[in-house]
Amino acid sequence: VSYLKIPKKLTYSCTRLSWDRPCEGALELKKVEFEEGMTAIPGNTCSSRDHASYIEEIILPESIKTIGENAFRNCKKLTSVSLPKNISSLGSSAFNGCSALNTVTFHYNSTVTNTSTGEELYKVTIGSSAFTDCISLTKIEWTENIISIGNSAFAGCSALTEETLPDRITSIGNYAFSGCSSLRSLALPEELKELGYNFLEGTKVSY
């Protein structure tokens, strides 16, 4: 089996333990597509131990709003990911250890919600360790929808060199970019209110 389509009604992908891995060890599985209409990818759906994943491509429909923790952890042959504009939350370690991942694309969502304090643009949060140790990651296409970056979210992304963060981000977690050993420049957002400790530990940022 080289191609797998995940049906939209799937809501749970772990049978016993939080670290069960349904797609692990499928030696010929290269491409996984999630059916249109699915709104949440369950945790651990495509995760693996170290080198036991052979998935090279994932297709996410516009209907996806959340990606569960560890969903694609250690998919070491995955090279790029395009996140639908309706994504609101990336779970912890969602793409942790995807060592071949070189491009991550967020898409702008112009949806505005009326609140008691006025209109608010659609919000996106990046969970803790979401992209930790994605050592080939060189390009992140950000969107103004992002409001927070979790602890260690991009820790160990040693190929990143310079980033300008979207202005609507209000929170950056502890160790968020620690271990990004090639990072020379990081422009912080104007709306930033919370900044975690050691967020630039082990980088080359000098100004």
Side-chain angles (χ1 to χ4, degrees):
V1 176
S2 61
Y3 167 79
L4 187 67
K5 188 167 186 176
I6 306 291
K8 63 184 178 182
K9 291 185 178 181
L10 182 73
T11 58
Y12 187 62
S13 62
C14 303
T15 56
R16 294 175 288 113
L17 302 171
S18 62
W19 262 92
D20 282 344
R21 305 165 180 87
C23 294
E24 185 175 55
L27 303 183
E28 300 298 324
L29 184 58
K30 307 295 185 184
K31 181 178 180 179
V32 176
E33 180 177 0
F34 294 84
E35 186 180 10
E36 180 63 49
M38 176 180 269
T39 58
I41 296 177
N44 298 297
T45 301
C46 295
S47 67
S48 75
R49 297 177 183 86
D50 297 331
H51 300 284
S53 172
Y54 299 86
I55 298 170
E56 298 175 356
E57 180 183 3
I58 58 172
I59 300 176
L60 306 176
E62 286 297 309
S63 55
I64 294 292
K65 294 183 178 180
T66 63
I67 295 178
E69 62 180 18
N70 301 308
F72 301 98
R73 184 169 185 158
N74 287 329
C75 287
K76 293 183 180 292
K77 294 185 180 296
L78 185 65
T79 58
S80 65
V81 60
S82 178
L83 298 165
K85 68 177 184 179
N86 290 316
I87 280 285
S88 62
S89 174
L90 286 181
S92 61
S93 295
F95 293 93
N96 187 320
C98 294
S99 55
L101 187 64
N102 58 62
T103 303
V104 173
T105 303
F106 292 89
H107 293 279
Y108 180 72
N109 189 323
S110 61
T111 302
V112 173
T113 303
N114 291 315
T115 69
S116 58
T117 57
E119 294 184 339
E120 286 189 355
L121 190 64
Y122 194 82
K123 296 179 179 180
V124 178
T125 61
I126 299 175
S128 60
S129 302
F131 296 98
T132 293
D133 291 334
C134 292
I135 58 174
S136 299
L137 184 60
T138 58
K139 184 177 181 181
I140 304 172
E141 295 187 17
W142 303 92
T143 171
E144 289 297 323
N145 300 107
I146 299 171
I147 62 166
S148 68
I149 296 175
N151 296 338
S152 302
F154 294 94
C157 293
S158 53
L160 288 178
T161 57
E162 56 182 61
E163 295 296 329
T164 298
L165 301 181
D167 282 336
R168 292 185 70 244
I169 291 177
T170 59
S171 174
I172 297 175
N174 307 327
Y175 299 103
F177 293 91
S178 69
C180 294
S181 55
S182 299
L183 188 64
R184 300 186 302 270
S185 173
L186 182 69
L188 296 177
E190 292 183 1
E191 299 297 321
L192 187 64
K193 297 176 182 178
E194 299 178 10
L195 188 59
Y197 54 79
N198 294 69
F199 84 105
L200 287 178
E201 182 180 57
T203 70
K204 294 181 179 178
V205 175
S206 59
Y207 176 77

